[in-house]
Structures are given as C-alpha cells and as structure tokens.
C-alpha cells in the first residue's frame, strides 16, 4: 500500500481531474435498467474490482494526460439526449460537437477554436460565431450584423445581452 501511495504521489501531478472513465462507467450503470438491476450491477462491479480499476486508470494515467495536455482523452464519444421536443444524438470529436435530431435527421455542428478561444455554430455549411472568451469573467458576443459587444459572465451580463439582442432584432425588422 505504501509503495502504491508513493508511486501515485510521484507520477501524478497535483490535479484532481475529471475522472471521465469512472464517470462514464457510472453513467452507463445508472441506465442499465430499473433501480434494482442498476444496484445489482453496481455491487457486482465493486466486487469484481471494475470501479477500482477505472479509478486507478483515471488517477494514474488519464487525469495526468488531461493535466499536462489540457485535453481529456476520454472526451470523444456519442450520447443520446432526450430533449423537450425529441431525441438527439450528440457526437464529440474532442474539438466540437455534432448534434443530430433523431426526429428529422437535421444537424448542427458546434466548434471550438482554441487559438481564438471562440465557439461557433455551423448550420447548412454556414459558420457563425456564438461567443469568444475574453478572460475568465467576460465573453465577446455578436449583436446585429458584424457588431460585437463584451459581456460579463453573470446574471446581470446575460440580462444585458438579452436586452441588446432584442433591440437589434427589433431594429432589423
């Protein structure tokens, strides 16, 4: 046990990490079936040390990679989301998301440009900037045609942006 603790202390940076592998396994376990089946699988995975192995892999390998590279190696994947108006398939490739409607097959692409620190949406081959990070507390958002404003990331900032966007939309009509 002492050797394991020493190995962990030496090989891992001081980073909590996202424990993405373990969280994915837990998320899958919560959707296996009813609560009794979920509990049975949960208990079996503790007895068979599945959770212990995923925790160790997260702790020693994946969280270290995430800390040093800045990207999560487990971030890629697919997930079906139940929305208010239907189901959506969300595919992550590590740089953005493809969101496909299971209802009508329509899709939207969200991309993150790390160099510009901005998120954009691509609909029908046309890309539009949603927002760009200015610093930890501000984003640059579009208001009207080719006009941008810096907004504080707070309830008051979001409210101010809503007011600006509403006025811009009314003026465009």
């Amino acid at each position: 046990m002492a050797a394991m603790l020493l190995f962990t202390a030496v090989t891992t940076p001081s980073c909590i990490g996202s424990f993405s592998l373990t969280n994915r396994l837990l998320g899958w376990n919560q959707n296996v079936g009813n609560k009794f089946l979920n509990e049975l699988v949960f208990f079996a995975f503790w007895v068979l040390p599945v959770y212990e192995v995923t925790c160790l892999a997260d702790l020693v390998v994946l969280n270290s990679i995430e800390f040093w590279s800045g990207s999560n190696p487990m971030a890629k994947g697919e997930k079906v989301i139940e929305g208010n108006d239907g189901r959506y398939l969300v595919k992550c490739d590590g740089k953005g998301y493809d969101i496909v409607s299971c209802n009508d097959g329509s899709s939207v692409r969200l991309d993150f440009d790390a160099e510009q620190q901005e998120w954009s949406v691509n609909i029908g081959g046309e890309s539009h900037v949603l927002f760009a990070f200015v610093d930890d507390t501000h984003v640059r958002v579009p208001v009207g045609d080719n006009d941008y404003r810096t907004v504080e990331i707070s309830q008051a900032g979001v409210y101010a942006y809503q007011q600006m966007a509403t006025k811009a939309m009314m003026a465009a009509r």
Side-chain angles (χ1 to χ4, degrees):
M1 185 63 145
M4 178 68 103
L5 287 173
L6 180 62
F7 175 76
T8 302
V10 171
T11 60
T12 59
S14 61
C15 171
I16 292 173
S18 62
F19 285 85
S20 56
L21 180 60
T22 304
N23 286 325
R24 270 191 179 183
L25 181 61
L26 284 167
W28 172 83
N29 185 181
Q30 291 172 341
N31 294 310
V32 171
N34 64 35
K35 67 181 182 178
F36 300 107
L37 183 58
N38 292 350
E39 182 63 24
L40 181 64
V41 171
F42 180 77
F43 182 74
F45 279 8
W46 273 114
V47 172
L48 296 174
V50 175
Y51 285 120
E52 291 88 338
V53 170
T54 61
C55 280
L56 185 62
D58 273 328
L59 181 69
V60 175
V61 179
L62 299 173
N63 288 347
S64 296
I65 292 170
E66 185 178 353
F67 176 78
W68 291 108
S69 71
S71 66
N72 184 336
M74 295 296 297
K76 299 175 185 169
E78 296 181 2
K79 186 172 185 169
V80 175
I81 305 289
E82 291 288 339
N84 290 337
D85 56 348
R87 296 176 67 156
Y88 296 89
L89 175 64
V90 180
K91 300 176 189 177
C92 178
D93 62 12
K95 295 184 181 195
Y97 300 91
D98 287 301
I99 304 168
V100 181
S101 170
C102 296
N103 305 329
D104 62 8
S106 61
S107 67
V108 173
R109 171 76 186 171
L110 297 173
D111 284 307
F112 182 69
D113 182 342
E115 187 175 309
Q116 298 294 321
Q117 289 291 300
E118 68 184 18
W119 279 98
S120 61
V121 61
N122 189 318
I123 302 173
E126 218 175 297
S127 184
H128 305 277
V129 173
L130 292 173
F131 65 89
F133 291 100
V134 175
D135 56 33
D136 289 343
T137 59
H138 295 87
V139 291
R140 184 176 52 90
V141 294
V143 179
D145 294 330
N146 298 321
D147 191 17
Y148 292 90
R149 298 281 193 271
T150 300
V151 175
E152 181 181 353
I153 304 173
S154 67
Q155 186 174 1
V158 171
Y159 180 72
Y161 175 65
Q162 287 175 332
Q163 297 301 316
M164 283 187 283
T166 302
K167 286 179 185 176
M169 286 176 52
M170 295 301 258
R173 291 181 183 192

